[in-house]
Structure formats: structure tokens, C-alpha cells
Amino acid sequence: MTTTEAPTLAPRPPVRARGRNVVAVASGKGGVGKTWFSITLAHTLARAGQRVLLFDGDLGLANVDIQLGLMPKSDLGSVVAGRLTLNQALTQFPEGGFDIIAGRSGSGTLANIPLSRLQMLGEDLVLLAGNYDRVVVDLGAGVEKTTRNFSQQAGTIMVVTTDEPTSLTDAYAFIKVTHMERPGTDMRIVVNMANSTREGERIYNTLLKACEGFLKISPPLAGVIRRDLKVREAIRNQTPIMTRSPNAEAAADVEAIVERLIRPR
């Protein structure tokens, strides 16, 4: 007589593993073009045929909707208050071909939500991410608890920096804290507002040397975005650069970053 063993069930993947398609955009300090890059990244991914959600995770100074000239009927404030689910807070952005969950502009109250509620929000975001090819999360600048919580849900983190010494120092601080909390995290460097691709690579190498010397890690270069007056024009007109100036140098640079993201060598 033979016996049949019961099949072994695979363990349920942890929330973090289920968030591999979440791309968080971070920076050590404000003013480096992080939100512009998040919007352009989401738009470019959508233009590449992917289903994309852009999540405004800057709970202190949300401004994705402002840069896009939107007045969403719902935002994260309603979600945190329990009036809406995360899915119900979605706003479609037909012009860009992607969805948005807006933060609450002009209010810093969301930055003070309890840690338990913040963790639930992060887990809900990862579950919602299952409906998309990519979710782009525009994180708040720095290493506050809200920023760290959302970054922990991401499979990839893009750290945006410029040539300013404070930007490089703060980008290194973000990388250090993230590496200490989550060793092995896929972090990639984006150098924004560089005068040339070569200069951007020099800026990256400065940050890389610090990471290799003190942290023993080598985060790769995601790409260099050249300084472009058309970026300022697009922001001033509250229009994505991929709509207003799709042939701009900065737009081409983000397209190259997306190409490497979705078709890794």
C-alpha cells in the first residue's frame, strides 16, 4: 500500500517581495527635482505601454497635483481619515495615460500620522500595486519615518541628487540609513540638472566613492539628466515635459533611464 504525501504549499511571499514593481523616488534634500522626475518617470513608463500609478508619498509637502495642474476630488487625507479606501482615492490623468493618488497639498498634518496607520497605508499600497505594471512613489525628502516606511515597500529606489555639496551629503545620508535598515536594497543614483552627461558621471563617481569607502556598497548610476530650460517651462505651465516638450534633452534622458529600468541588460 502506498501513501501519497500532501503537497507542500509554498510560503506566502512577504509584502516586500510583492512590491517589486514599486519604484520609490527619493532625495536627501528638497529642490533637486524629485517630484518632476517622479512625474516624468511615470509618464514615460506609461508611454512605453505600461500601466502606471503615481503615488504622492510626500505626506508633508505633497505637490504632484500642483505640478500637473490638477484639482483631485479625493486625496490621501480622506484615506487616512477612513472615509475612502486607497483604491477609491485614485484619480485618472488621461493626458499622461496613468493614474494618480494625490497627497494633501498645503497641509503637513499627514506627516504626523501614527506609525501603525502609516504601515497599513504602505501595505495597502503594495496590494494595490498588483493592479499595475509599475507604481512610482514620490517620497518626501530626507529620512523621516514616512519616507522610510514607503521606501521599505519598494523593490527599487531611485535616489536623486545634484552637484550641490548639501545634495550629495544628504543623498549619502539617505543611502546609509536605507542600507542599514535594508541591506541589499536595489538603490540607483539619478544625477539631475547636470551641465553635461560627463559632468553628471563625475558627480555620480563622487557619491559612489563615499558609498564604497564607508558603506562597502556600489549603487549603480540609473542615469544623468541634463540641465534643460524646458523643464522649468513645463513646471511653470503645470504640464508634463513629455506633453509640452517631448523632444527636449531632459525628456530623452528620462527615456534612457526608463529603457534601462524595464529592459535591464
Side-chain angles (χ1 to χ4, degrees):
M1 179 177 178
T2 60
T3 59
T4 302
E5 293 184 0
T8 302
L9 298 178
R12 182 179 178 182
V15 168
R16 186 175 302 161
R18 289 184 281 123
R20 287 177 183 168
N21 64 331
V22 178
V23 180
V25 180
S27 69
K29 67 183 291 291
V32 300
K34 174 180 55 62
T35 295
W36 173 85
F37 175 68
S38 298
I39 291 170
T40 309
L41 181 64
H43 197 175
T44 306
L45 284 164
R47 283 163 58 98
Q50 299 212 337
R51 186 160 189 235
V52 181
L53 169 65
L54 174 58
F55 179 89
D56 195 339
D58 188 345
L59 302 188
L61 296 170
N63 60 6
V64 163
D65 55 328
I66 295 173
Q67 283 204 24
L68 293 175
L70 296 176
M71 296 184 66
K73 294 180 180 179
S74 56
D75 58 32
L76 276 177
S78 299
V79 177
V80 172
R83 293 190 295 271
L84 295 176
T85 65
L86 205 56
N87 189 58
Q88 291 171 331
L90 288 171
T91 297
Q92 292 184 333
F93 184 54
E95 180 182 342
F98 57 91
D99 294 339
I100 295 171
I101 295 181
R104 174 155 291 184
S105 301
S107 172
T109 55
L110 292 185
N112 299 316
I113 65 175
L115 181 59
S116 59
R117 186 69 186 92
L118 188 62
Q119 290 172 337
M120 288 177 60
L121 187 61
E123 292 178 5
D124 288 346
L125 175 62
V126 173
L127 292 175
L128 183 60
N131 298 326
Y132 293 89
D133 296 312
R134 300 279 177 175
V135 173
V136 177
V137 181
D138 180 24
L139 297 174
V143 291
E144 301 300 325
K145 67 175 183 179
T146 54
T147 298
R148 298 205 310 275
N149 177 75
F150 286 133
S151 69
Q152 287 173 0
Q153 316 302 331
T156 300
I157 302 176
M158 301 277 193
V159 183
V160 183
T161 188
T162 67
D163 64 344
E164 294 182 9
T166 52
S167 174
L168 286 165
T169 301
D170 291 348
Y172 171 79
F174 176 88
I175 293 169
K176 178 180 178 180
V177 170
T178 302
H179 173 65
M180 290 174 61
E181 292 184 346
R182 289 178 60 197
T185 298
D186 178 13
M187 286 186 282
R188 310 178 191 185
I189 311 300
V190 176
V191 179
N192 193 23
M193 296 184 280
N195 290 325
S196 67
T197 301
R198 181 171 294 182
E199 182 193 77
E201 291 170 349
R202 287 199 298 266
I203 295 166
Y204 161 71
N205 284 326
T206 299
L207 183 55
L208 177 65
K209 288 179 182 177
C211 292
E212 290 179 336
F214 296 102
L215 305 179
K216 310 305 179 187
I217 60 174
S218 303
L221 176 65
V224 174
I225 303 172
R226 290 165 288 179
R227 192 180 301 276
D228 193 332
L229 291 177
K230 288 183 170 56
V231 171
R232 183 175 295 180
E233 292 173 5
I235 294 173
R236 186 180 295 122
N237 286 274
Q238 296 178 291
T239 305
I241 194 170
M242 288 299 178
T243 299
R244 183 177 176 85
S245 304
N247 297 318
E249 289 184 344
D253 293 336
V254 177
E255 286 179 331
I257 292 172
V258 166
E259 178 70 19
R260 287 188 287 269
L261 180 65
I262 63 180
R263 296 183 182 88
R265 295 170 184 172

